Amino acid sequence: MNNPTICAIATAPGGAIGIIRISGSEALTIADRIFRPVGSNAPLADRKPYTLAFGNIVNAENEVVDEVLVSIFHAPHSYTGENSVEISCHGSAYILQQVMFLLTQNGCIPAGPGEFTQRAFLNGKMDLSQAEAVADLISATNKATHDMALSQLKGHFSNELSDLRAHLLKLTSLLELELDFSDHEELEFADRSELYTLACDIHQRLASLARSFEVGNALKNGIPVAIVGKTNVGKSTLLNHLLHEEKAIVSDVHGTTRDFIEDTTIINGIQFRFVDTAGIRTTDDVVENIGIERTYQKLQEAKIVLWLIDQQPTEAEMEDIKERVADKKLIIVRNKIDKSTAHSTFNIQHSTFTTVDISAKYGTNIPVLEQLIVEAADIPQLSESDIVITSARHYSALLLADESLQRVIDSMDLGLSGDLLAEDLRIVIDHLAEITGEERITPQETLQNIFTHFCIGK
């Protein structure tokens, strides 16, 4: 690819050090035009890769702009796979802009968003799923999202897909080989029992990857937790304690919160998205009723519900909350223990919900509640090698691939012909290729697979 040489500031503003990255065939040459090394006068292109050079950046009038360190990378052993240079200078916005100006004056063009990683993908340094992991790693806000992004960046997910693709390609090749010998109906290269067993195994692996999306999506975007209850039971006060800031207005006036308030915080390394909702009560206020309707909507979206009460609920209230949170984790939070200690455990049809006594006003037992929230999230302990899907795009492709594979299994149950099986297997491979950005399977690849693994008449 004959791409222009690009440059960009790679560090956030305000730091003591600023780094400018340059990538492209002319990266070393352009950097040489504005860099004056101290000591050796050897051009950057003649220096060993993975080394540093100390010197000055100078302008057209030979005036020193800054003292810098220059890191040298030779193609293809760089992040982008191209010749690359990283200039480490002082973090002054003026200095960084001056260096960028000099680079563009000498042949660079400013890089577009994500262009360095795009070039890494196009140059085969990473596949598409790994490129997406770079963005996830940069935006990681806690250990869980960091570990998931790092696992994907290291290629664990890509390797799993590559293994599945290799098995599917082998099956497809065998089935298409049968079609080439269709005039010999007695020939069957793809053992149907082996094919069925392998298809079922791959189906389980695809389903397992797809199921991990629920955990991955929750960890990436924050596990949704709704705080619900009547007016003036302390929901906003509790939200402020959980977020460790005065996010919501606290007042003794009923119906202060007329819309939901949402923000995230991290507990035990897991990100939670808390929503303080409008108090539930009967009212003629049109605006407040809209807020109550949104409360019920947020309750449906939540994975965990904190039902805040300050007195014994009625049977009707218990039945209503039970119906609304049938598929969720419910924690009954009995507030205002500083005023009353006459709380008891509530049982509904022999099922006991988790309960905790707190004082939102004084922060009593908030750490206990936080631990119960973490337990209710039921997030498995993840290691770096675990594969967890976090992208909706990957999830959609896995579902489509699994759907096509299920058709293969159903077709074998019905005894359908190999050409139909092969077509659905091709579709499975194509959907998996969408995740990594690989080319769709070609007849040439099928032929190569046949002649690599099988020998027909020598």
Side-chain angles (χ1 to χ4, degrees):
M1 297 179 64
N2 187 23
N3 287 329
T5 298
I6 56 175
C7 62
I9 300 172
T11 47
I17 301 296
I19 297 177
I20 293 176
R21 305 180 78 181
I22 314 169
S23 182
S25 58
E26 300 297 314
L28 297 167
T29 302
I30 293 174
D32 260 328
R33 293 172 187 161
I34 66 170
F35 177 65
R36 298 294 179 267
V38 173
S40 172
N41 290 321
L44 295 177
D46 294 341
R47 295 173 184 253
K48 293 182 179 179
Y50 313 121
T51 59
L52 296 173
F54 172 70
N56 298 310
I57 297 294
V58 297
N59 59 22
E61 289 73 36
N62 213 32
E63 297 172 337
V64 174
V65 176
D66 194 20
E67 286 186 342
V68 301
L69 283 174
V70 172
S71 307
I72 302 161
F73 305 91
H74 292 177
H77 305 296
S78 70
Y79 179 76
T80 60
E82 303 171 329
N83 286 337
S84 297
V85 173
E86 291 185 358
I87 302 174
S88 299
C89 50
H90 292 94
S92 158
Y94 172 77
I95 291 173
L96 291 168
Q97 291 302 327
Q98 285 297 301
V99 176
M100 284 290 295
F101 173 76
L102 292 172
L103 289 172
T104 55
Q105 287 291 98
N106 283 275
C108 279
I109 66 169
E115 189 169 356
F116 288 92
T117 301
Q118 182 184 35
R119 291 193 176 197
F121 165 67
L122 294 174
N123 291 326
K125 300 297 290 186
M126 59 180 69
D127 64 32
L128 194 55
S129 70
Q130 289 173 296
E132 290 170 304
V134 173
D136 288 343
L137 190 62
I138 293 171
S139 62
T141 57
N142 55 70
K143 186 177 186 301
T145 52
H146 168 270
D147 289 348
M148 290 188 299
L150 193 60
S151 172
Q152 187 169 318
L153 181 60
K154 289 187 174 182
H156 296 150
F157 182 35
S158 301
N159 292 338
E160 175 75 1
L161 294 180
S162 179
D163 183 58
L164 294 176
R165 189 180 191 276
H167 283 93
L168 291 166
L169 180 58
K170 180 180 178 181
L171 296 176
T172 305
S173 301
L174 286 168
L175 288 169
E176 297 201 2
L177 192 60
E178 288 181 7
L179 299 178
D180 290 338
F181 289 84
S182 56
D183 52 334
H184 297 277
E185 295 183 1
E186 71 282 358
L187 288 178
E188 187 178 271
F189 294 101
D191 181 271
R192 292 302 186 267
S193 61
E194 180 185 350
L195 174 58
Y196 190 86
T197 300
L198 188 55
C200 289
D201 177 61
I202 295 176
H203 166 66
Q204 292 297 324
R205 291 165 71 179
L206 289 177
S208 177
L209 288 172
R211 282 195 301 271
S212 73
F213 177 69
E214 181 180 355
V215 172
N217 186 56
L219 290 173
K220 182 178 179 179
N221 298 308
I223 298 170
V225 183
I227 305 174
V228 301
K230 293 181 178 180
T231 58
N232 210 27
V233 293
K235 298 187 299 298
S236 296
T237 304
L238 175 59
L239 176 72
N240 290 340
H241 271 295
L242 292 169
L243 297 179
H244 305 288
E245 64 173 300
E246 296 298 315
K247 184 74 175 181
I249 297 173
V250 176
S251 169
D252 291 333
V253 178
H254 288 268
T256 302
T257 303
R258 296 194 168 201
D259 201 351
F260 63 86
I261 300 172
E262 185 172 351
D263 208 344
T264 61
T265 192
I266 295 172
I267 305 174
N268 289 8
I270 301 172
Q271 181 169 267
F272 291 89
R273 191 170 71 252
F274 287 100
V275 183
D276 175 24
T277 60
I280 300 172
R281 66 169 179 163
T282 301
T283 177
D284 294 328
D285 190 306
V286 175
V287 176
E288 190 175 348
N289 273 321
I290 294 173
I292 293 170
E293 285 301 316
R294 291 183 178 180
T295 292
Y296 290 131
Q297 178 185 343
K298 286 296 176 181
L299 191 149
Q300 291 303 313
E301 296 172 1
K303 179 177 180 180
I304 302 170
V305 176
L306 306 183
W307 185 28
L308 201 62
I309 59 175
D310 60 0
Q311 60 185 345
Q312 178 76 31
T314 66
E315 282 297 321
E317 290 170 340
M318 293 293 291
E319 287 299 324
D320 180 63
I321 196 71
K322 177 188 175 183
E323 181 179 345
R324 292 182 185 278
V325 301
D327 59 341
K328 307 177 188 305
K329 298 291 182 67
L330 175 66
I331 300 176
I332 300 177
V333 184
R334 299 176 292 198
N335 192 22
K336 303 182 182 180
I337 61 170
D338 51 293
K339 293 184 177 181
S340 172
T341 57
H343 294 303
S344 60
T345 302
F346 307 119
N347 294 303
I348 300 177
Q349 295 184 357
H350 310 291
S351 178
T352 304
F353 290 129
T354 301
T355 60
V356 60
D357 296 333
I358 71 163
S359 170
K361 182 177 181 179
Y362 297 105
T364 307
N365 283 346
I366 296 298
V368 176
L369 173 58
E370 289 177 332
Q371 184 57 40
L372 291 175
I373 293 171
V374 170
E375 292 173 3
D378 194 26
I379 299 299
Q381 188 68 34
L382 300 177
S383 67
E384 186 187 302
S385 59
D386 289 328
I387 301 172
V388 180
I389 306 305
T390 61
S391 165
R393 187 182 73 82
H394 299 171
Y395 176 64
S396 176
L398 286 169
L399 289 182
L400 291 171
D402 195 37
E403 181 182 309
S404 297
L405 191 60
Q406 185 60 56
R407 286 200 302 270
V408 173
I409 295 172
D410 294 341
S411 296
M412 283 190 285
D413 286 334
L414 296 172
L416 299 183
S417 61
D419 57 336
L420 296 176
L421 300 179
E423 178 59 26
D424 278 326
L425 285 173
R426 278 178 169 273
I427 294 174
V428 175
I429 295 173
D430 287 344
H431 284 310
L432 296 182
E434 291 174 10
I435 296 174
T436 56
E438 294 177 284
E439 296 290 335
R440 291 174 177 261
I441 184 173
T442 63
Q444 290 78 11
E445 190 173 5
T446 302
L447 285 173
Q448 183 180 5
N449 187 274
I450 290 173
F451 291 116
T452 300
H453 292 93
F454 315 110
C455 183
I456 305 299
K458 301 298 183 182

